[in-house]
């Protein structure tokens, strides 16, 4: 018996007493985990963990978000920034950078030549310092966050979940999900860390405090 046949046989045996009318949503899953192990300061934990992954993280009130985005662009000397459809216009301040709207879609060469991209997110995870995009309004298609050298994520404090299960419960599993923990990095070659191989070399996170 092949490995495939062994696995399928085990699945059939496990499912033989399950009624045909039953669906996975009908049966609660016992997770056997603590409801929350992030502690009381979820936003503080998220900023700490994200910084450990070499992201640059700032916390600002809503009125200071555009200025924080502008400082992130100025720090890297960005001269062109990609803006996905649906990104709030008040997040992008005026500066020495040109704005590249992704309507109609920018070409691969245009994205590769762009210095930065600004997006919102779908959810964030405190215990892992991760931001999650589902590529809805304000986030754009996946290529936008892979080719420019700098990715600036704007995160509302209310979007930060304490842990992975809570974050996943807020997301639509049928949407394309991208989870980002720090700038792109690899140590595949002689264990030397190299950033920017598989995506942005620089990750900035602007956390907007709840009112």
């Amino acid at each position: 018996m092949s490995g495939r046949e062994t696995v399928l046989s085990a699945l059939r045996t496990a499912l033989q007493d399950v009624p045909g009318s039953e669906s996975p949503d009908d049966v609660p899953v016992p997770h056997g985990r603590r409801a929350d192990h992030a502690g009381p300061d979820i936003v503080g934990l998220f900023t700490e963990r994200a910084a450990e992954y070499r992201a640059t993280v700032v916390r600002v009130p809503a009125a200071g978000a555009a200025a924080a985005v502008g400082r992130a662009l100025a720090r890297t000397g960005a001269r062109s920034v990609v803006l996905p459809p649906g990104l709030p216009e008040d997040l992008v301040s005026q500066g020495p950078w040109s704005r590249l709207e992704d309507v109609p879609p920018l070409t691969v060469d245009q994205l590769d030549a762009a210095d930065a991209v600004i997006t919102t997110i779908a959810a964030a995870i405190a215990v892992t310092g991760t931001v999650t995009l589902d590529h809805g309004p304000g986030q754009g298609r996946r290529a936008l966050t892979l080719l420019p050298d700098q990715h600036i994520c704007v995160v509302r404090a209310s979007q930060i979940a304490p842990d992975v299960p809570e974050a996943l419960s807020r997301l639509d599993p049928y949407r394309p999900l991208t989870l980002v923990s720090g700038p792109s990095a690899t140590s595949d070659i002689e264990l030397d860390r190299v950033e920017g191989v598989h995506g942005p070399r620089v990750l900035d996170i602007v956390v907007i405090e709840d009112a």
Side-chain angles (χ1 to χ4, degrees):
M1 182 180 291
S2 68
R4 178 176 181 273
E5 291 169 338
T6 299
V7 171
L8 292 176
S9 176
L11 289 173
R12 293 188 191 100
T13 300
L15 296 173
Q16 63 185 1
D17 60 343
V18 177
S21 59
E22 184 178 285
S23 70
D25 292 335
D26 296 332
V27 182
V29 178
H31 292 290
R33 64 177 181 84
R34 293 172 57 184
D36 179 2
H37 56 275
D41 186 6
I42 294 175
V43 178
L45 179 62
F46 169 75
T47 59
E48 175 186 328
R49 294 289 168 83
E52 289 176 358
Y53 278 113
R54 302 192 186 183
T56 300
V57 189
V58 296
R59 297 171 63 171
V60 297
V69 169
R71 288 192 295 271
L73 291 169
R75 192 186 76 251
T76 61
R79 288 294 177 265
S80 58
V81 56
V82 177
L83 308 179
L87 184 76
E89 293 188 6
D90 59 1
L91 288 178
V92 189
S93 60
Q94 296 296 326
W97 41 79
S98 59
R99 303 183 181 202
L100 303 176
E101 305 281 351
D102 194 40
V103 180
L106 299 167
T107 66
V108 170
D109 288 341
Q110 287 175 312
L111 289 175
D112 189 46
D115 295 315
V117 59
I118 304 170
T119 73
T120 55
I121 68 160
I125 308 170
V127 295
T128 61
T130 301
V131 293
T132 304
L133 288 75
D134 66 4
H135 303 284
Q139 300 167 60
R141 54 199 174 100
R142 186 166 284 164
L144 269 59
T145 57
L146 294 177
L147 295 177
D149 195 48
Q150 180 183 20
H151 183 188
I152 302 175
C153 286
V154 180
V155 179
R156 298 192 310 274
S158 59
Q159 292 179 296
I160 303 174
D163 52 25
V164 175
E166 171 62 26
L168 292 178
S169 72
R170 303 183 185 186
L171 298 169
D172 182 351
Y174 294 99
R175 293 195 59 82
L177 301 177
T178 301
L179 280 71
V180 179
S181 298
S184 167
T186 182
S187 299
D188 290 343
I189 302 176
E190 297 184 357
L191 299 181
D192 290 330
R193 179 183 172 95
V194 179
E195 297 178 349
V197 176
H198 306 118
R201 183 173 54 88
V202 179
L203 176 64
D204 284 89
I205 300 176
V206 177
V207 179
I208 300 177
E209 303 278 10
D210 294 326

